Amino acid sequence: MADANAECNIKVLCRFRPLNKSEIIRGDKFIPVFQGEDTVILGQQQIATGQGMWVFDIAHKAVGHGKSYVFDQVFPTNTTQIQVYNTCAKQIVKDVLGGYNGTIFAYGQTSSGKTHTMEGNLHDPQGMGIIPRIAEDIFEHIFAMDENLEFHIKVSYFEIYMDKIRDLLDVTKTNLSVHEDKHRVPYVKMQYFCWYMCCVSVWLFL
Ligand SMILES: Nc1ncnc2c1ncn2[C@@H]1O[C@H](COP(=O)(O)OP(=O)(O)O)[C@@H](O)[C@H]1O
Ligand SMILES: [Mg+2]
């Protein structure tokens, strides 16, 4: 990120989703314990007693500390989409609009909440994930600019799964290859959504 005060250009944030219905029915327990804004402890068990909440180490059956994992920020299950966006993405979008490159990368096992976080519910202002919020912020920025300026926006959308690249804007392309441009920068030949914007007109090309 272009923030001159930032200690590091890479941030790692960890979001936890609540147990889903089938996990609850199966009797799974939610085991992460959050400490402050950046730490999660695994391997502890919280037991409510008459005197308040006691913390036990599952393995040793005694008061213990479990294992702590520290991130730049942890997001407990009640974290909203807008909170995630403001912490993870808003500054990156500002930097990109200022001419820097930016990447937001969601990593996690299947069903951990990547699509919920990145895409979410596209048509629900509360449920929208990071990608539609980025689009909104970019267009808001453009609409606030001088009306004589022209903007070209290109969007590609693909999935890398089991070493195969699938174009999500053209479902017929299921195994795309990676090429290198003359500066040896890797790229994938694929479909782009393009917006050419000037004044009040917007054309959408495929
Ligand atoms: N933070 C969350 N709060 C509530 N439900 C969530 C959350 N994250 C994920 N889910 C739900 O969990 C399920 C799996 O999430 P999903 O985003 O599809 O996982 P992934 O893309 O990592 O495979 C979906 O039904 C999704 O709605
Ligand atoms: Mg997914």
Side-chain angles (χ1 to χ4, degrees):
M1 278 186 284
D3 177 0
N5 298 319
E7 272 178 32
C8 174
N9 288 339
I10 298 174
K11 288 195 171 161
V12 182
L13 306 102
C14 191
R15 185 180 198 182
F16 293 78
R17 67 156 172 78
L19 294 178
N20 61 33
K21 255 194 209 141
S22 55
E23 289 162 343
I24 292 169
I25 290 168
R26 204 165 60 192
D28 290 355
K29 298 273 177 286
F30 187 85
I31 58 166
V33 176
F34 298 97
Q35 201 174 65
E37 294 213 316
D38 61 358
T39 305
V40 61
I41 305 167
L42 301 180
Q44 282 188 343
Q45 195 175 21
Q46 290 197 332
I47 300 190
T49 68
Q51 287 85 40
M53 194 72 92
W54 289 84
V55 177
F56 287 84
D57 184 300
I58 291 171
H60 301 101
K61 300 208 170 17
V63 177
H65 302 289
K67 188 160 169 49
S68 305
Y69 297 88
V70 182
F71 296 87
D72 288 296
Q73 174 119 21
V74 289
F75 295 121
T77 57
N78 60 356
T79 311
T80 60
Q81 298 283 59
I82 184 80
Q83 285 170 330
V84 171
Y85 180 74
N86 286 340
T87 316
C88 288
K90 206 166 180 65
Q91 184 59 43
I92 295 178
V93 174
K94 271 193 194 150
D95 294 338
V96 166
L97 293 168
Y100 295 89
N101 288 330
T103 301
I104 300 168
F105 187 78
Y107 177 83
Q109 71 182 77
T110 298
S111 196
S112 57
K114 301 180 295 297
T115 303
H116 177 82
T117 297
M118 297 304 284
E119 218 175 85
N121 187 347
L122 295 180
H123 305 292
D124 167 18
Q126 258 92 53
M128 277 193 314
I130 286 176
I131 293 169
R133 286 175 202 274
I134 287 177
E136 247 184 27
D137 263 9
I138 288 174
F139 281 98
E140 258 173 38
H141 175 83
I142 288 172
F143 289 133
M145 300 295 278
D146 188 312
E147 61 179 29
N148 295 314
L149 289 173
E150 184 178 303
F151 293 85
H152 292 190
I153 305 166
K154 271 167 85 173
V155 179
S156 60
Y157 194 29
F158 59 92
E159 172 187 82
I160 307 172
Y161 184 63
M162 309 257 286
D163 292 332
K164 289 212 169 112
I165 302 176
R166 203 153 64 95
D167 190 340
L168 297 175
L169 296 178
D170 180 353
V171 288
T172 62
K173 304 217 171 95
T174 55
N175 193 7
L176 294 163
S177 43
V178 179
H179 303 269
E180 278 186 356
D181 68 11
K182 58 179 188 239
H183 305 295
R184 308 211 60 199
V185 176
Y187 73 96
V188 179
K189 260 195 212 151
M190 58 185 358
Q191 196 68 266
Y192 285 97
F193 259 121
C194 296
W195 284 272
Y196 292 90
M197 300 188 60
C198 77
C199 304
V200 287
S201 318
V202 179
W203 295 278
L204 187 60
F205 290 96
L206 239 192

